[in-house]
Amino acid sequence: PMSTFFTIFWASWDLAKLKIYPALFTLIEKEKLSDDFHIVGYARSALSDDDFFDIFATSVRSHMKNWWDREEEILLTLKNRIHYISAPYDTSEGFEKYRDFIAGLSEEGKISRCSQEQSSVEMTENSDFWKEKFSHTQLLYLAVPPTIV
């Protein structure tokens, strides 16, 4: 199977903590998302993957109606699928860092790769390069201030 990345730009924003993180957890808990589903937080704040996981976990725990041992176990299984990148929004260097970060996950074996035949995504520029290096699906949630865009 092909890995899927859900990247939340401006991951430190309150809306992500109030709505996005609990909604993603609910989908995972109800087995609506595959085991190759990764959550990537992108923001300017200097955080580690562990720091971001703690933010995600705190948000989920505080917004779920029922929290039992099963939910805690599910949350802990997500730890290696929640990632964070600190980079600027307003320069190409930030997005190059993001591209390299995703490529690094692939090289470390943290994400699945598929053959070109399995990929249904058509890339425009450097199509063969992108399909070979980044055989995965990306969903981007762009919750950035209007001054950035």
Side-chain angles (χ1 to χ4, degrees), residues 5-147:
F5 287 90
F6 185 82
T7 301
I8 303 149
F9 289 86
W10 207 0
S12 56
W13 190 39
D14 282 343
L15 180 62
K17 295 174 190 173
L18 294 172
K19 300 292 182 182
I20 304 299
Y21 302 153
L24 287 172
F25 181 81
T26 299
L27 289 171
I28 292 165
E29 178 189 31
K30 294 180 185 270
E31 299 179 0
K32 301 294 183 187
L33 301 173
S34 75
D35 290 341
D36 263 345
F37 186 87
H38 296 258
I39 299 167
V40 179
Y42 182 118
R44 293 180 288 199
S45 306
L47 299 172
S48 67
D49 282 0
D50 288 339
D51 294 335
F52 182 60
F53 176 79
D54 290 343
I55 291 169
F56 182 90
T58 299
S59 166
V60 168
R61 286 182 189 119
S62 65
H63 290 94
M64 300 297 291
K65 290 183 180 181
N66 296 312
W67 194 259
W68 307 96
D69 291 341
R70 178 180 177 273
E71 284 77 15
E72 191 66 29
E73 288 172 15
I74 293 169
L75 181 63
L76 293 177
T77 65
L78 295 176
K79 189 163 181 130
N80 65 341
R81 295 190 285 144
I82 294 179
H83 316 281
Y84 183 81
I85 180 170
S86 174
Y89 300 107
D90 54 352
T91 66
S92 61
E93 289 83 13
F95 296 102
E96 289 167 6
K97 184 176 178 182
Y98 172 72
R99 179 197 61 208
D100 295 344
F101 175 79
I102 297 296
L105 291 176
S106 179
E107 290 169 7
E108 293 171 17
K110 292 185 179 179
I111 63 171
S112 298
R113 294 178 63 152
C114 69
S115 67
Q116 288 185 358
E117 293 79 33
Q118 291 174 298
S119 178
S120 61
V121 178
E122 290 186 24
M123 303 291 181
T124 53
E125 191 175 322
N126 298 321
S127 178
D128 292 335
F129 169 80
W130 284 100
K131 284 182 182 177
E132 179 184 332
K133 292 285 191 181
F134 308 107
S135 297
H136 57 269
T137 301
Q138 289 193 42
L139 301 169
L140 306 176
Y141 185 83
L142 301 169
V144 295
T147 55

